[in-house]
Amino acid sequence: MQLHYLTAHQLHDMLVSKKISAEEITRSVFDRIEQVEEKIRAYVTLTKEQAVSCARLVDKARMEGEALPPLAGIPVAVKDNMCTKGVRTTCASKILYNYIPPYNATVMEHLNEARAVMVGKTNMDEFAMGSSCENSALFTTCNPWDTNRVPGGSSGGSAAAVAAGEAILALGSDTGGSIRQPASFCGVVGMKPTYGAVSRYGLVAYASSLDQIGPFARDVTDCALLLNVICGHDPLDSTSAPYDVPDYTSFLTGDIKGVKIGVPREYMGEGIDPAVREVIKKAIDIFTGLGAVLEETTLPHTEYALPAYYLIAPAEASSNLARYDGVRYGYRAEDAGDLVDMFVKTRSEGFGPEVKRRIMLGTYALSAGYYDAYYNKALKVRTLIKADFDRAFEQFDLLLGPTAPVTAFKRGEKVNDPLQMYMVDICTLAVNLAGIPAISIPAGMVDNLPVGLQLMGRPFGEGDILRAAYAFEQNTDHHRKLPE
């Protein structure tokens, strides 16, 4: 039996009924890693010894009659920008190559309490800056559906690990679409929760007002189970929201009769691959057949999301990455003549080209004389984009569109054209600027490559999104397709 391709809820049932052990699940995943990792390259660091030890503790607890939480003994991969005590956290950057955190991110504490098993740390675009996982300073991850293509970014390692059976679940972070876009390219479920719903304590910051940790899963039920574990208020994170976290599995009823779903015309027009658009139109027909009410709507400031994002995110990044100077963390350049020379050499040698590009963009946007013309104007545009969503959600329960305008592109195809690369996130950026939740679920195939459907909801409306996503999933088989 290929345990590595089962869902967490299937494995939990088998574990509780004593058909399998947690150690068997963990070893099955590591066997799969040994089989395919050489060509996929999803992981920066593997933690096999620690994982097997954790699995044995779960088995011991089961034998002693303890009730197991839903994710007990379930192998989870973690993006390499979340601090893991005693396990190196590189952010796929030379500047943090040997950094071993002395503490856990809050999400890791939640996973430990749930008795999930960490498999390892996954590859990513350096400091989460990228849309293809080609900006990693370590190596490039490949898409399990076609290893000549990218898995998406920046959480490409986490998405590829779940799609290839190298993990049952995974955590990623989403600043401008970095969970949903790779989920779309790799044919798995990926969700960006509401800003503040999941603690960012211990997440290495890229753009603090946009970053959000979220789950990757093989189906919507597993996504809900992982959300149950990671959501909640955290006093260690001043941006964490104090709210009552519902049981997200309670929304998985399959009934969406009367649910009003808006389809923004900006998400279905120019720039969207016609084949991708056709897949989304078929999905609309399925929702209509299930009793949902779908109508076209508009988010008129969508075209400004890309420029606003690429002013706000680099501005915040230029501030957040100022701490990497060779004094406090990681890499330090050798043969520096004085302190300033050491700063300059460390940052020049430690950061990759995309990180340098965004630091320079951000520093320019925040500089005296240009602040009002660029950064301040971008913040005003962000307010208009948020107002677009607020107006839409007065009329609709959810919004629907493609997750990405294209399917996974070939490795190296866009790497020399940053603007073309930035356009790949055109359908996801506005959600981060507005701080609302959104999910990507498998919706079909084009030329044997997955297409993702995006559902967006009101702030803290994750349950409504999961309800609709689950109903769609129960009436299709796209989530069951596996790469060869």
Side-chain angles (χ1 to χ4, degrees):
M1 184 183 296
Q2 293 183 318
L3 298 178
H4 55 265
Y5 269 142
L6 298 183
T7 61
H9 56 91
Q10 288 172 322
L11 291 168
H12 175 75
D13 291 344
M14 295 170 72
L15 192 58
V16 170
S17 61
K18 299 184 178 177
K19 292 178 181 173
I20 54 172
S21 68
E23 184 172 347
E24 283 178 294
I25 299 171
T26 300
R27 291 197 182 278
S28 171
V29 166
F30 276 100
D31 287 345
R32 178 64 177 172
I33 291 171
E34 191 172 329
Q35 183 184 355
V36 302
E37 177 62 6
E38 189 173 341
K39 64 179 180 179
I40 302 298
R41 308 204 73 187
Y43 286 97
V44 173
T45 303
L46 288 168
T47 53
K48 184 174 181 179
E49 190 175 331
Q50 176 180 318
V52 171
S53 176
C54 288
R56 285 173 178 164
L57 288 175
V58 172
D59 287 333
K60 182 173 181 287
R62 183 186 62 169
M63 294 303 291
E64 291 173 352
E66 288 186 35
L68 296 181
L71 297 189
I74 301 300
V76 181
V78 178
K79 188 176 181 179
D80 205 21
N81 62 350
M82 296 170 210
C83 287
T84 42
K85 186 176 181 179
V87 178
R88 70 176 183 146
T89 300
T90 70
C91 287
S93 178
K94 182 179 177 182
I95 212 160
L96 279 179
Y97 184 73
N98 287 322
Y99 175 59
I100 298 177
Y103 69 103
N104 272 327
T106 294
V107 287
M108 292 308 304
E109 294 292 346
H110 288 328
L111 285 181
N112 290 339
E113 289 166 12
R115 300 191 178 183
V117 174
M118 186 179 79
V119 180
K121 307 295 291 291
T122 54
N123 196 25
M124 55 185 282
D125 286 302
E126 185 177 4
F127 282 102
M129 299 181 191
S131 306
S132 66
C133 222
E134 293 172 290
N135 291 329
S136 169
L138 309 178
F139 49 82
T140 299
T141 297
C142 301
N143 192 314
W145 291 88
D146 180 348
T147 53
N148 292 314
R149 295 176 185 271
V150 303
S154 65
S155 308
S158 291
V162 173
E166 295 185 81
I168 306 302
L169 297 167
L171 290 180
S173 66
D174 192 317
T175 307
S178 293
I179 290 175
R180 290 159 287 154
Q181 186 250 41
S184 174
F185 282 8
C186 291
V188 297
V189 175
M191 188 165 197
K192 180 240 172 241
T194 305
Y195 184 79
V198 180
S199 171
R200 293 184 302 108
Y201 178 76
L203 172 70
V204 180
Y206 160 25
S208 304
S209 75
L210 301 165
D211 297 337
Q212 187 62 82
I213 294 172
F216 285 99
R218 202 155 285 135
D219 68 9
V220 174
T221 302
D222 276 9
C223 180
L225 289 170
L226 188 47
L227 269 185
N228 280 349
V229 169
I230 64 175
C231 285
H233 179 247
D234 179 12
L236 297 175
D237 175 4
S238 62
T239 62
S240 172
Y243 75 110
D244 294 327
V245 180
D247 176 1
Y248 289 112
T249 62
S250 68
F251 293 90
L252 310 183
T253 63
D255 180 12
I256 57 166
K257 286 188 178 67
V259 172
K260 297 186 73 174
I261 303 177
V263 184
R265 64 175 69 104
E266 293 80 6
Y267 284 66
M268 295 291 280
E270 189 179 351
I272 307 298
D273 185 315
V276 170
R277 192 185 300 128
E278 283 306 308
V279 170
I280 302 305
K281 284 181 177 176
K282 288 179 183 175
I284 290 172
D285 291 339
I286 290 172
F287 278 111
T288 303
L290 293 172
V293 180
L294 285 94
E295 294 177 15
E296 185 181 83
T297 186
T298 182
L299 299 170
H301 296 95
T302 297
E303 64 177 300
Y304 304 113
L306 186 73
Y309 176 87
Y310 278 102
L311 283 165
I312 293 169
E316 295 183 15
S318 70
S319 173
N320 281 325
L321 272 60
R323 74 193 71 174
Y324 305 107
D325 53 13
V327 176
R328 301 171 181 82
Y329 301 95
Y331 177 76
R332 175 183 293 181
E334 297 177 351
D335 303 325
D338 54 32
L339 187 63
V340 173
D341 191 34
M342 191 272 286
F343 289 165
V344 172
K345 281 188 173 178
T346 293
R347 291 170 67 80
S348 297
E349 296 171 9
F351 289 133
E354 183 60 28
V355 175
K356 289 176 187 171
R357 182 180 296 118
R358 297 194 192 198
I359 288 175
M360 291 184 69
L361 277 171
T363 304
Y364 183 79
L366 291 176
S367 59
Y370 296 102
Y371 181 92
D372 283 335
Y374 294 105
Y375 183 68
N376 207 20
K377 188 171 287 186
L379 292 181
K380 291 177 181 175
V381 171
R382 181 179 191 170
T383 301
L384 294 174
I385 289 170
K386 175 70 166 60
D388 281 351
F389 281 108
D390 290 343
R391 277 192 293 273
F393 288 126
E394 289 175 1
Q395 187 178 354
F396 298 101
D397 300 304
L398 298 168
L399 298 174
L400 175 155
T403 306
V406 294
T407 55
F409 48 89
K410 290 186 177 177
R411 287 189 284 132
E413 186 178 329
K414 300 180 189 294
V415 75
N416 293 319
D417 188 341
L419 187 57
Q420 197 183 16
M421 185 76 84
Y422 297 164
M423 293 294 288
V424 178
D425 292 335
I426 193 71
C427 299
T428 53
L429 295 168
V431 163
N432 297 76
L433 292 169
I436 61 175
I439 197 170
S440 178
I441 55 175
M445 305 289 285
V446 171
D447 297 331
N448 204 33
L449 293 170
V451 174
L453 168 75
Q454 181 173 214
L455 291 167
M456 299 160 270
R458 300 184 180 96
F460 301 101
E462 281 83 352
D464 295 331
I465 294 174
L466 292 168
R467 184 198 309 273
Y470 181 77
F472 179 82
E473 190 180 81
Q474 293 302 299
N475 289 275
T476 60
D477 64 354
H478 307 304
H479 63 292
R480 295 195 181 92
K481 294 189 170 110
L482 300 172
E484 292 180 0

